[in-house]
Amino acid sequence: MDAPIVSLYRYRLPLAKPLRLCGEEIRERVGLILAFGGPYGTGYGDIAPLPGFSRETVDDAQAAVIRWAGLLGQLSKEPTEREESLAFLEATPSAQFGIECATFSFRHAIGSERSLGLYSTTRRTVSVNGLIGGTGDSLADARRFHAEGYRAVKVKVGQERVETDIGRVHAIRAVLPIDVMLRLDANRAWSWDEAMAFADGIRDVVIEYIEEPLAGPERLPEFATRSGLAVALDETVVEGCAANGWAARYAWASAFVLKPTLIGGIRRCERIANEALEFGIRPVVSACFESGAGIAALAHLASALTKEDIPVGLDTYDWLAADVLTRRFVIRGGQLDLDEVDACVGTCNLDALEEVYRG
């Protein structure tokens, strides 16, 4: 078998509606597709730094992937030396994610058993939580998700006055049956007093958890104790996940939100998930508005991490008005069918993208 061909393509995908991130509005998603393989099989990786959240730019990630490609065939087989040679990828987590997805899915495509943690035969469907943003008709979205059979709905809070968010959460919970899990995400929007006021205002509302309610995350354990709310970690995971055994410090948490684009790939997320499960913490895979190729990889990761079908945060796919896939997969009944997902990934249209590297 010849050495795999490495190709890198840049995409620009318009959004179905503007997306507000860290106070800025974006109307398109810019990223890279890494194709790894050849006529015997190809794996794809999506590399899409998220503005306002990723520390690297698309140009940074592109340079890192090209540097990685130049090292192929020259890397030591000794693990420590190999890791040292690839240490530069730590600065570009989105590139790490894309490289692992492309190489692991290539191994899967050629029938190799060394596709590591990305593929599993445990289950072929993955539940998705519906996403209600901070603007728009929240009640209409909640009713639609219920009608379509979603088992969990995530609501963005923290973008309006606390009192407004309290009323909104009450209204959404009234629309959703109690067996539909309600997740809240504040993205560190609140001071201590604001977060406690919000907690007091929703005291009689049944929620699964709230993500990152405090601008100062050092008080999160105290907030969880005093508010009585289950707390999930997102940004805190991204900031501290490099160290082994890190999860033990947060055994009080209800869930860890795992975003490989920000965390740095499949293997790191697999380690964090395994550590979390030891403490009864639920790992929840979540997207960063990647293309269909990236969403597909995240769905596979979720199916491989846990036998339990924990609803994952992949509903961002609906925000894309166009995709790199000619045939788009569909969330039906609040679930993704992995066989359909794989068939759609096979329609990735590289000819429509700008080629920026081939080696």
Side-chain angles (χ1 to χ4, degrees), residues 251-263:
W252 51 267
S254 176
F256 286 174
V257 178
L258 304 182
K259 296 177 176 174
T261 286
L262 302 182
I263 288 172

Side-chain angles (χ1 to χ4, degrees), residues 2 22 36 66 69 78 112 138 152 154 161 164 204 224 232 253 255 264 267 272 276 327:
D2 297 332
C22 295
F36 184 84
I66 292 173
E78 200 282 316
S112 171
S138 299
K154 178 175 173 176
R161 295 172 60 248
T164 302
D204 58 344
R267 285 177 291 191
I272 296 169
R327 175 188 164 197

Side-chain angles (χ1 to χ4, degrees), residues 193-257:
D193 289 342
E194 288 171 327
M196 289 302 296
F198 179 82
D200 186 62
I202 66 161
R203 195 168 300 279
D204 58 344
V205 177
V206 177
I207 67 169
E208 183 184 6
Y209 58 67
I210 182 169
E211 293 177 33
E212 300 280 354
L214 294 175
E218 66 280 352
R219 296 188 72 181
L220 281 173
E222 182 185 359
F223 174 83
T225 299
R226 292 182 57 179
S227 71
L229 297 181
V231 174
L233 304 183
D234 180 353
E235 289 89 344
T236 299
V237 177
V238 175
E239 292 167 355
C241 63
N244 290 331
W246 171 87
R249 295 173 50 196
Y250 297 93
W252 51 267
S254 176
F256 286 174
V257 178

Side-chain angles (χ1 to χ4, degrees), residues 8 28 56 64 89 103 127 136 229 241 246 260 268 273 278 293 299 325:
L8 192 62
E28 65 177 4
E56 75 273 23
L89 290 174
T103 54
S127 291
L229 297 181
C241 63
W246 171 87
R268 181 167 288 174
E278 290 180 9
L325 308 182

Side-chain angles (χ1 to χ4, degrees), residues 46 54-56 86 89-101 104 237-239 241-242 257-272 286 288 290 298 301:
D46 190 0
S54 293
R55 59 180 181 267
E56 75 273 23
L86 296 175
L89 290 174
E90 289 288 328
T92 52
S94 62
Q96 286 181 302
F97 174 51
I99 288 169
E100 288 186 355
C101 287
F104 295 178
V237 177
V238 175
E239 292 167 355
C241 63
V257 178
L258 304 182
K259 296 177 176 174
T261 286
L262 302 182
I263 288 172
I266 301 300
R267 285 177 291 191
R268 181 167 288 174
C269 285
E270 185 179 29
R271 171 182 60 78
I272 296 169
S286 190
C288 290
E290 294 90 348
L298 292 170
L301 174 61

Side-chain angles (χ1 to χ4, degrees), residues 2 122 179 218 222 320 341 347:
D2 297 332
T122 303
D179 60 345
E218 66 280 352
E222 182 185 359
L320 299 180
V341 166
T347 70

Side-chain angles (χ1 to χ4, degrees), residues 61-144:
Q62 178 175 313
V65 174
I66 292 173
R67 182 177 173 183
W68 163 81
L71 292 174
L72 293 179
Q74 306 173 38
L75 292 168
S76 171
K77 293 184 178 179
E78 200 282 316
T80 302
E81 291 183 10
R82 187 182 183 89
E83 287 182 11
E84 289 176 353
S85 298
L86 296 175
F88 66 91
L89 290 174
E90 289 288 328
T92 52
S94 62
Q96 286 181 302
F97 174 51
I99 288 169
E100 288 186 355
C101 287
T103 54
F104 295 178
S105 59
F106 166 71
R107 293 169 186 168
H108 183 70
I110 64 173
S112 171
E113 295 180 356
R114 297 186 302 121
S115 55
L116 301 179
L118 188 55
Y119 291 93
S120 170
T121 58
T122 303
R123 51 193 171 92
R124 299 301 298 167
T125 59
V126 173
S127 291
V128 177
N129 68 219
L131 177 62
I132 298 178
T135 59
D137 191 337
S138 299
L139 295 185
D141 288 339
R143 292 188 182 98
R144 175 173 62 85

